[in-house]
Amino acid sequence: MPEGDTIFRAARTLHRALAGRVVTGFDARLAQLARIDDDAPLTGRTVDSVAARGKHLLMAFSGDLVLHTHMRMNGSWHLYRPGERWRRPQTSMRVVVATDVILAVGFDITVAEFLTAHALRRHPALRALGPDLLGADIDVSAIAERIRARGPETIGDVLLDQRVVAGIGNVIKAETLFLAGVPPFAPVDGLTDARVIRVVEVARRLLTENVAEGPFTATAAHGRRTTRSLDPGAALWVYDRSGKPCRRCGAPIRADRTGLDARVTYWCPVCQAE
């Protein structure tokens, strides 16, 4: 599933390409979008902005209309010039927002809807989101308190709960806990305040570094880098490295499934000992 840094980069790229341009065409393979477009056509509107909110992407148009999408596991947005060959099959297309010089194509998107500004403010999923770690004004202590409030739940599961803090996915979770030296199955109420704050600080740093534009911009496997290595094969510390030696201590990386979604968690039993 795309994480907060991936969605942030996608929104930034879409905003640069589309903001200020007039929509010249719209197509959707999702019934809920087609119905709304019949009543309030998108063609002729101007793209005002594209922004990320946690793992949600919001494309705002003139005339009080916002296209809200969530990528879930496999969704993605691509940009193409008119007539350019798509890198994904036509059958995967779900949404196309066209301008005179660029097309934004949403592939395999399952969550998509048009909202007014009023509906956006009242949207249950968006209203329930915790603080976005890529937001401008982040209170680390307040986020740590939100995590501490989850008591006996494991820290790994809490970090994935977007109602607690928005933007962390399975990769950043695993890498954050490794760098913070915290075992993923530790109950939150068994961690000190200092360790929880450390987790928040590391998660924010990793997400921020992975949206930065520079020599360490994420280009490796899984779309992100958490080590400082430029070797694509050494981009991550523990994620997807089950059985391989820890890059720090050499112990075999372990993996297990956890949570309601049975997401695979990776950790080093030595570097992340209790």
Side-chain angles (χ1 to χ4, degrees):
M1 178 185 291
E3 305 190 22
D5 52 348
T6 304
I7 303 303
F8 185 98
R9 293 196 306 271
R12 180 174 60 195
T13 301
L14 288 166
H15 179 83
R16 289 174 176 173
L18 299 175
R21 298 197 177 277
V22 175
V23 178
T24 58
F26 175 75
D27 190 13
R29 302 283 173 82
L30 300 169
Q32 67 270 27
L33 296 186
R35 286 196 301 270
I36 296 296
D37 188 56
D38 288 341
D39 297 331
L42 206 64
T43 303
R45 297 175 188 259
T46 299
V47 181
D48 288 338
S49 64
V50 185
R53 193 177 300 178
K55 299 181 183 181
H56 301 258
L57 191 142
L58 305 172
M59 188 178 295
F61 303 90
S62 58
D64 189 24
L65 195 65
V66 176
L67 174 59
H68 164 229
T69 58
H70 192 293
M71 302 302 100
R72 293 299 188 202
M73 292 300 296
N74 300 310
S76 62
W77 280 96
H78 291 194
L79 290 172
Y80 298 100
R81 298 291 181 184
E84 184 180 0
R85 183 176 180 179
W86 293 358
R87 297 185 301 276
R88 298 280 297 276
Q90 182 84 18
T91 53
S92 295
M93 184 276 281
R94 298 295 179 268
V95 187
V96 176
V97 177
T99 71
D100 57 341
V101 297
I102 205 79
L103 279 71
V105 186
F107 293 100
D108 292 323
I109 293 171
T110 56
V111 177
E113 58 187 339
F114 282 122
L115 302 168
T116 63
H118 177 72
L120 185 65
R121 289 191 296 270
R122 297 175 60 86
H123 194 282
L126 294 170
R127 286 183 67 185
L129 285 177
D132 189 336
L133 280 177
L134 287 171
D137 301 311
I138 289 298
D139 186 334
V140 171
S141 296
I143 295 175
E145 285 297 319
R146 295 173 66 90
I147 293 173
R148 298 280 291 166
R150 302 307 286 258
E153 296 181 46
T154 66
I155 184 65
D157 288 344
V158 172
L159 290 181
L160 292 181
D161 191 334
Q162 302 300 295
R163 297 167 299 178
V164 178
V165 58
I168 299 176
N170 211 32
V171 180
I172 293 297
K173 175 203 75 176
E175 299 294 290
T176 292
L177 293 175
F178 172 79
L179 289 170
V182 175
F185 304 110
V188 169
D189 55 12
L191 300 175
T192 65
D193 291 341
R195 295 189 84 185
V196 175
I197 288 174
R198 170 68 175 155
V199 166
V200 177
E201 290 174 338
V202 172
R204 176 165 169 75
R205 175 175 66 80
L206 292 182
L207 287 168
T208 301
E209 288 178 351
N210 278 279
V211 300
E213 297 173 296
F216 289 97
T217 298
T219 56
H222 307 293
R224 58 186 52 82
R225 175 182 285 113
T226 59
T227 68
R228 300 298 288 178
S229 173
L230 289 176
D231 178 359
L236 302 173
W237 290 101
V238 295
Y239 185 83
D240 202 21
R241 300 192 65 243
S242 178
K244 297 178 181 179
C246 174
R247 301 191 194 280
R248 279 187 175 167
C249 73
I253 298 299
R254 296 182 61 185
D256 201 357
R257 294 187 178 274
T258 181
L260 295 176
D261 296 328
R263 306 290 296 277
V264 180
T265 291
Y266 301 89
W267 79 100
C268 172
V270 175
C271 296
Q272 294 169 260
E274 290 283 358

